[in-house]
Amino acid sequence: MSASKRYIEMDALRGFAVMGILLMNIMAFAMPEMAYINPTVYGGSEGIDLITWFLGFIFVDGKVRAIFTFLFGASMILIVASAEAKGESPKKVHYFRMLWLALIGLFHFFFIWWGDILFLYALIGCVAFLFRDWESPRLLKWACIIYFTGALLFSLGMGSLFFLQAAASAPDATAAAIAEYEEAVGDIVMTPAEVQEEVALYLGSYWQVTQNKISERWFFPLINPTMLFFETLPFMMTGMASFKNGFLLGQWETVRYRKWAIVGISSGAALFAVLAWIDYRSGFDEIIVMNANIAWSMPPRLFMALGYIAALMLLIKSLADSAFLKRVAAAGRAAFTNYLGTSILMTFIFYGWGLGLFGSVGRAELYLFVLGAWVLMLLWSKPWLKRYRYGPLEWLWRSLARMELQPMRKSDKVN
């Protein structure tokens, strides 16, 4: 393995991922938080808007984030190899990178957008690094153990809400049982007044939004590492394993990728369709929605993410040296800049300090903004990287982690 080699397969996968993640994030940019998982909260629960929610839940939600996480784990192997080739300490290089990623993530959360995942990646990345030297089979074995243990724990934890609900709704329910249930669901049930309050907040000034996060949501960055530990760590470990066994590098036979794509996508989509139907038949009952999105969806999410990677590998192989693939790969090389740049662009479009469209665009129409963002990513990334070594934020992160300015222009001499 060459420490300096770029793998167009990974760059292209990262490009597809940074574009695809906006398919779901657009809901969180443009609507109240709980509308992301429950269309009855906001954004339309019938007609084209309901169909949009169904398609997003079945085919996108959580799967693209999984691919991103796999790639993050795989990149650790490349960073280790690069550091070793230069005679540097892989541990020092990695943990400095995670330190600055955590700080950038906190800045992203407090001063740009609440949906940050960088802080999560930084914290879990510190743990995942401990397994960097494991062989692929061992990584996959323990990734599965951790992941399905998490699925079981979430199912038990979220399932307990059904018992609380039953106790609170019983004819002889005690005041204590009702209070316990209301406290348990307090953060997942939004009244119409609370929904309008959130809309008003994001249509307010930049300072109002920022002050709310600093004073009321300061602990939110710690929620993701707690809630998503059993997903993020095994996904990173799977990414490490998939790099080592060639799955992420396009080194498997075409027939093998085709089999994984068919089985992974079809089985995962079928299970997600069942969960979507359960949500719908329940009238999008809050507890059922939370169970379906957090606990029950974990197994099919893994199947579909692996299936998508296999399908994308087939696509990448078929496109080979096409101009389109090169643009997607360039967007992937600048994924950090594209990810944060998207947050800045979308909050400007939807928040009150910008164009103020928050809460006023239907679910289906939001995808026009997604398409526009994709065009921008594909237009700027390749020309920029023809002249410069890194995307702007990639360069900043690299410079901060190494505590010295890195050469930016391709004509600059590398020490």
Side-chain angles (χ1 to χ4, degrees):
M1 178 177 64
S2 172
S4 60
K5 180 181 178 181
R6 290 216 68 92
Y7 295 93
I8 190 170
E9 296 84 2
M10 285 181 59
D11 286 339
L13 274 175
R14 194 177 288 108
F16 283 123
V18 77
M19 294 167 65
I21 203 167
L22 184 58
L23 287 169
M24 288 307 295
N25 280 355
I26 191 69
M27 308 298 172
F29 281 120
M31 296 179 184
E33 184 176 344
M34 289 302 295
Y36 181 97
I37 63 173
N38 190 339
T40 63
V41 170
Y42 207 89
S45 56
E46 57 185 26
I48 187 63
D49 289 322
L50 179 61
I51 293 173
T52 300
W53 178 86
F54 266 108
L55 293 175
F57 176 72
I58 294 171
F59 294 105
V60 185
D61 184 29
K63 296 80 170 174
V64 181
R65 185 180 69 245
I67 296 173
F68 240 144
T69 314
F70 292 160
L71 291 167
F72 190 89
S75 296
M76 288 188 204
I77 306 300
L78 285 172
I79 296 300
V80 167
S82 178
E84 290 175 342
K86 296 176 182 178
E88 300 172 333
S89 166
K91 182 182 296 185
K92 180 180 179 181
V93 170
H94 175 76
Y95 284 111
F96 262 101
R97 282 171 56 84
M98 294 303 100
L99 171 63
W100 283 107
L101 184 64
L103 293 175
I104 293 171
L106 290 175
F107 180 87
H108 182 216
F109 171 82
F110 285 108
F111 299 105
I112 302 178
W113 182 52
W114 62 266
D116 173 73
I117 61 171
L118 301 178
F119 186 76
L120 164 70
Y121 280 12
L123 264 60
I124 306 301
C126 290
V127 180
F129 184 75
L130 301 175
F131 311 116
R132 67 193 181 279
D133 294 327
W134 287 12
E135 295 299 320
S136 179
R138 188 182 183 192
L139 281 165
L140 290 174
K141 172 186 173 182
W142 281 98
C144 287
I145 291 173
I146 296 170
Y147 189 75
F148 287 102
T149 297
L152 176 61
L153 292 175
F154 274 125
S155 295
L156 293 174
M158 298 302 297
S160 67
L161 293 174
F162 289 111
F163 294 99
L164 294 177
Q165 185 183 51
S169 58
D172 58 345
T174 64
I178 295 173
E180 185 178 7
Y181 172 70
E182 291 178 346
E183 181 179 1
V185 301
D187 292 332
I188 62 176
V189 176
M190 293 188 71
T191 66
E194 289 172 332
V195 170
Q196 292 306 316
E197 183 179 338
E198 187 170 336
V199 172
L201 170 66
Y202 290 111
L203 288 176
S205 68
Y206 174 83
W207 174 241
Q208 284 177 306
V209 176
T210 304
Q211 187 180 43
N212 174 265
K213 285 184 284 189
I214 293 174
S215 61
E216 304 293 333
R217 296 186 166 199
W218 58 268
F219 57 92
F220 268 42
L222 298 176
I223 293 178
N224 275 345
T226 303
M227 291 289 294
L228 298 179
F229 177 87
F230 286 100
E231 176 184 278
T232 306
L233 177 60
F235 280 173
M236 288 184 183
M237 295 171 69
T238 302
M240 293 178 182
S242 299
F243 179 85
K244 292 183 177 186
N245 66 23
F247 181 64
L248 287 177
L249 303 179
Q251 294 175 354
W252 288 15
E253 295 179 355
T254 297
V255 65
R256 198 176 180 192
Y257 279 120
R258 187 177 295 119
K259 179 179 179 180
W260 275 76
I262 293 172
V263 174
I265 296 174
S266 61
S267 61
L271 291 171
F272 266 103
V274 171
L275 294 178
W277 179 249
I278 291 172
D279 279 349
Y280 176 73
R281 290 292 294 174
S282 74
F284 292 97
D285 175 83
E286 292 86 354
I287 295 179
I288 289 179
V289 166
M290 292 299 291
N291 273 273
N293 279 266
I294 295 177
W296 303 339
S297 63
M298 285 188 69
R301 182 179 301 127
L302 175 61
F303 302 155
M304 285 195 77
L306 293 172
Y308 277 159
I309 291 175
L312 287 170
M313 279 300 171
L314 294 173
L315 179 63
I316 291 167
K317 285 174 175 286
S318 67
L319 293 176
D321 294 325
S322 69
F324 173 72
L325 186 66
K326 290 179 180 178
R327 286 193 175 272
V328 172
R333 288 179 60 191
F336 194 17
T337 300
N338 280 318
Y339 173 68
L340 265 72
T342 298
S343 293
I344 295 171
L345 175 62
M346 293 302 162
T347 51
F348 169 75
I349 290 173
F350 294 106
Y351 283 16
W353 58 266
L355 301 182
L357 297 182
F358 190 89
S360 62
V361 182
R363 287 179 185 269
E365 289 79 9
L366 286 175
Y367 286 103
L368 295 175
F369 296 95
V370 173
L371 181 61
W374 286 357
V375 170
L376 288 176
M377 290 183 198
L378 295 176
L379 284 178
W380 85 270
S381 300
K382 188 171 181 288
W384 177 278
L385 290 171
K386 286 186 67 174
R387 186 174 183 182
Y388 300 102
R389 298 176 186 273
Y390 319 104
L393 290 179
E394 284 77 7
W395 172 84
L396 176 63
W397 184 21
R398 188 181 183 91
S399 296
L400 289 171
R402 294 179 177 272
M403 300 302 290
E404 65 176 334
L405 295 180
Q406 299 296 294
M408 183 61 158
R409 293 178 181 271
K410 289 193 171 180
S411 58
D412 291 343
K413 183 178 179 181
V414 180
N415 295 325

